[in-house]
Amino acid sequence: QVQLVESGGGLVQAGDSLRLSCAASGRTFSNYAMGWFRQAPGKEREFVAAISRSHSRYYADSVKGRYTISRDNAKNTVYLQMNSLKLEDTAVYYCAVRQSRVYSGYETDYDYWGQGTQVTVSS
């Protein structure tokens, strides 16, 4: 019943901006933390950003200052605004929900996952 669907990925050039969306259905997640992870080819899945139910935001050092995570509880949606994209940002991006008000940077702490959306940054 619970489903998370990412969208907004695509092919962009370095320096461009992109906004990812993750729409949740099946239940309301307004009381839970939500996060974004990414996995580049040949690499482990890594934490990108998280947002608590109070809208406090947390970022990996690699994206701090360039990415902004936000949420719209009325729409049951979390967003990832990605600016000044670099080649190293190329990855499949996944949104996730943790059944807690507190954020986490560990993927094992998240309970629901989307299918991922591909972001490819070219030079």
Side-chain angles (χ1 to χ4, degrees):
Q1 290 183 315
V2 175
Q3 187 175 16
L4 303 177
V5 180
E6 300 96 335
S7 62
L11 175 63
V12 298
Q13 294 192 0
D16 284 353
S17 296
L18 200 61
R19 175 176 285 187
L20 306 183
S21 299
C22 176
S25 62
R27 67 163 298 164
T28 299
F29 294 105
S30 59
N31 291 327
Y32 298 147
M34 306 183 76
W36 288 92
F37 293 77
R38 68 185 182 186
Q39 187 168 23
K43 296 185 178 181
E44 299 289 333
R45 186 177 298 184
E46 65 175 345
F47 169 75
V48 175
I51 185 168
S52 71
R53 73 183 186 96
S54 65
H55 291 207
S56 296
R57 301 166 181 174
Y58 311 89
Y59 299 95
D61 289 340
S62 59
V63 305
K64 191 176 299 182
R66 299 188 298 119
Y67 288 17
T68 302
I69 187 172
S70 61
R71 66 192 298 166
D72 186 337
N73 288 337
K75 297 180 179 179
N76 219 24
T77 300
V78 63
Y79 305 93
L80 186 67
Q81 178 67 44
M82 310 160 65
N83 297 329
S84 302
L85 284 164
K86 304 175 180 179
L87 295 178
E88 63 194 42
D89 294 319
T90 295
V92 177
Y93 284 72
Y94 300 88
C95 71
V97 176
R98 184 188 183 203
Q99 295 186 91
S100 171
R101 70 183 190 279
V102 180
Y103 91 101
S104 174
Y106 298 101
E107 62 180 279
T108 53
D109 285 339
Y110 288 81
D111 302 292
Y112 302 103
W113 291 84
Q115 84 291 341
T117 186
Q118 177 71 48
V119 173
T120 302
V121 184
S122 64
S123 61

